[in-house]
Amino acid sequence: MSLRATARIVADADGGLPVLVSDGPLALRRTRAAGPYTRVTVVGAMSAPLGGDRLAIETEVRDGARLLVDSAAATLALPGRSAEPAAYDVRITVGAEGVLRWLPEQLVSVHGSDLRMRTVVELAPTARLVLREEQILGRHGEPPGTLITRLTVRRAGSPLLDQELAFGPGAPGGWDGGAVLAGHRATGQLLLVDPAFAEKPVEARLLGENAAVTPLAGPAALVTAVAPDALALRRLLDTALSGLAPVGPV
């Protein structure tokens, strides 16, 4: 039987969490954080998403709040009894002077799985954001399932980024070719949004052979990377974050 579950987080400027609602496999825990952030860790309470599941996390960072959301382990997209694809929706709003660090662990597309993941972010003009997504295509020694992800970010009601990625047997041809993954099995994105970038934009540049920094049409920067495995990918994105964060103190 397919699951339907929606977890909710609301963070206040005083560090409070007036709403912290777990649901189904999405267990939310307030955990200890260093610095000014309130921290919430997503703990997988059961295997999910499976074929046909409909999961969602809704997060509101109210005006002036600082929130860090991470996860205790990687998320595995798994095949299920249903032939329908699984869906995992992330819906985020960040208010004025709010700061969100969205840093989950990797999403692993297991052979035979079929997942559609959608992340939608609404930012106030003075909001700041660090958002990381990492996709691992198959467990060790296996081909991936079908994975389609879309990241849509709007700032002050205007589009900032709308990007769709598709991998695996259900994706258009060429996803594993030299112009996309070139045989790599780990890929990721790091998005930084900060009003400070309006005065000092990020310069487009390569980060070694497998990663690049791109300024966006707004106070934002996007890092994209490919790597042979999850560990190498995380190192690339961590290096990029450490180099970019001083420009916009998120």
Side-chain angles (χ1 to χ4, degrees):
M1 184 175 181
S2 299
L3 288 171
R4 301 290 188 274
T6 299
R8 298 184 61 222
I9 307 168
V10 177
D12 275 340
D14 62 2
L17 293 169
V19 178
L20 189 65
V21 178
S22 302
D23 193 9
L26 302 171
L28 306 178
R29 301 289 184 264
R30 180 166 187 162
T31 49
R32 184 175 299 177
Y37 291 89
T38 301
R39 180 183 177 190
V40 173
T41 299
V42 182
V43 179
M46 62 182 74
S47 295
L50 305 174
D53 288 351
R54 298 290 183 268
L55 308 181
I57 297 181
E58 299 178 349
T59 300
E60 179 187 356
V61 182
R62 291 178 174 170
D63 294 354
R66 290 175 174 253
L67 178 66
L68 165 64
V69 178
D70 59 11
S71 58
T75 297
L76 271 64
L78 297 163
R81 293 183 179 179
S82 173
E84 294 294 317
Y88 194 164
D89 293 330
V90 176
R91 298 182 286 269
I92 296 169
T93 60
V94 185
E97 304 296 334
V99 183
L100 174 64
R101 297 174 66 91
W102 187 268
L103 301 172
E105 293 301 307
Q106 299 91 351
L107 171 63
V108 182
S109 177
V110 173
H111 178 57
S113 66
D114 190 348
L115 175 64
R116 309 293 189 267
M117 184 164 185
R118 180 74 189 270
T119 301
V120 177
V121 183
E122 298 280 354
L123 300 173
T126 54
R128 290 180 286 168
L129 172 72
V130 175
L131 183 147
R132 181 182 69 209
E133 292 188 337
E134 297 170 303
Q135 297 90 26
I136 310 303
L137 305 179
R139 294 173 293 194
H140 181 70
E142 74 173 10
T146 296
L147 175 61
I148 299 175
T149 72
R150 185 169 181 177
L151 172 61
T152 302
V153 182
R154 289 184 287 265
R155 178 178 177 269
S158 298
L160 180 67
L161 176 67
D162 196 349
Q163 173 178 276
E164 183 171 284
L165 304 173
F167 308 107
W175 65 270
D176 199 23
V180 186
L181 292 181
H184 292 91
R185 283 295 177 265
T187 183
Q189 306 80 45
L190 180 70
L191 175 65
L192 292 90
V193 183
D194 193 316
F197 288 142
E199 297 182 2
K200 190 176 180 181
V202 172
E203 295 182 2
R205 64 185 186 275
L206 295 176
L207 299 174
E209 296 182 355
N210 294 330
V213 180
T214 305
L216 300 182
L222 178 67
V223 179
T224 55
V226 295
D229 55 45
L231 181 59
L233 177 66
R234 178 63 59 84
R235 287 173 175 166
L236 278 172
L237 295 180
D238 283 351
T239 298
L241 180 58
S242 65
L244 291 171
V247 178
V250 293

